[in-house]
Amino acid sequence: LILVMLVGAMAGSTGSGIKVLRLVILLKGFVWSLRLSNRSPRQIVRFDWNGENLAGGEAGKMVQQATLLAAAYLLLWLLCSLMLLHALPPETLLQDAFFEIASAQANVGLSVGLTSAELSGLGKAALCIAMYVGRLELVPVMALLITVLQSATGRVARRKR
């Protein structure tokens, strides 16, 4: 169930997750990479996408973007899970923390009972971050953070002059 929540919905839907489209790109990219590594020097390996043959560079870029987004999504899930686990009693199972954060990040709403009003600030922060990024999607949140950081570093640089 955790895996299904992490994959999430289709592109353009209101559900969060890595998205089925990105998962398909990753799987096709994996197969394409295997075929590339086992080809003869003169053999051309094509990457078929939606009935079109993509050039190697274009296909590589598409697979690289999907890999980057999936890795960032999974890294956020792991970090928030560890934050939540740190905020809970020692007997809490890792799989329960994984489940709670996957549910929050994918905007599913299921729980194994770890969330409550008595949860510490760190645990609430982990859930809020997961829900916020999951609801808005990773790319817009990353763009917002980059803009804020660039703006802040620009102000610091101007003050030093």
Side-chain angles (χ1 to χ4, degrees), residues 15-156:
S16 185
I18 293 171
K19 303 288 189 198
V20 174
L21 180 64
R22 287 187 195 125
L23 182 64
V24 170
I25 292 171
L26 289 172
L27 293 174
K28 285 187 123 201
F30 178 74
V31 171
W32 180 61
S33 296
L34 288 176
R35 289 176 52 209
L36 276 175
S37 65
N38 293 325
R39 69 180 173 101
S40 66
R42 295 184 184 183
Q43 182 182 6
I44 297 173
V45 178
R46 302 197 185 280
F47 187 89
D48 295 322
W49 186 253
N50 288 337
E52 296 180 31
N53 288 322
L54 299 181
E58 192 178 350
K61 184 177 177 183
M62 187 168 67
V63 172
Q64 182 182 19
Q65 288 173 346
T67 304
L68 177 66
L69 287 168
Y73 191 88
L74 292 173
L75 181 63
L76 177 72
W77 168 69
L78 181 62
L79 290 175
C80 287
S81 296
L82 293 176
M83 284 173 59
L84 179 62
L85 191 64
H86 184 69
L88 293 169
E91 63 272 3
T92 305
L93 298 174
L94 180 62
Q95 68 189 26
D96 289 343
F98 281 167
F99 186 91
E100 290 288 333
I101 295 296
S103 177
Q105 195 168 343
N107 298 298
V108 174
L110 298 175
S111 178
V112 291
L114 298 182
T115 56
S116 70
E118 292 80 33
L119 191 61
S120 73
L122 180 64
K124 289 177 183 176
L127 288 165
C128 286
I129 291 167
M131 283 187 258
Y132 181 76
V133 173
R135 182 66 187 113
L136 294 181
E137 264 293 322
L138 197 56
V139 175
V141 172
M142 287 171 49
L144 174 68
L145 288 175
I146 289 169
T147 303
V148 168
L149 289 174
Q150 285 176 342
S151 175
T153 56
R155 277 189 234 131
V156 170

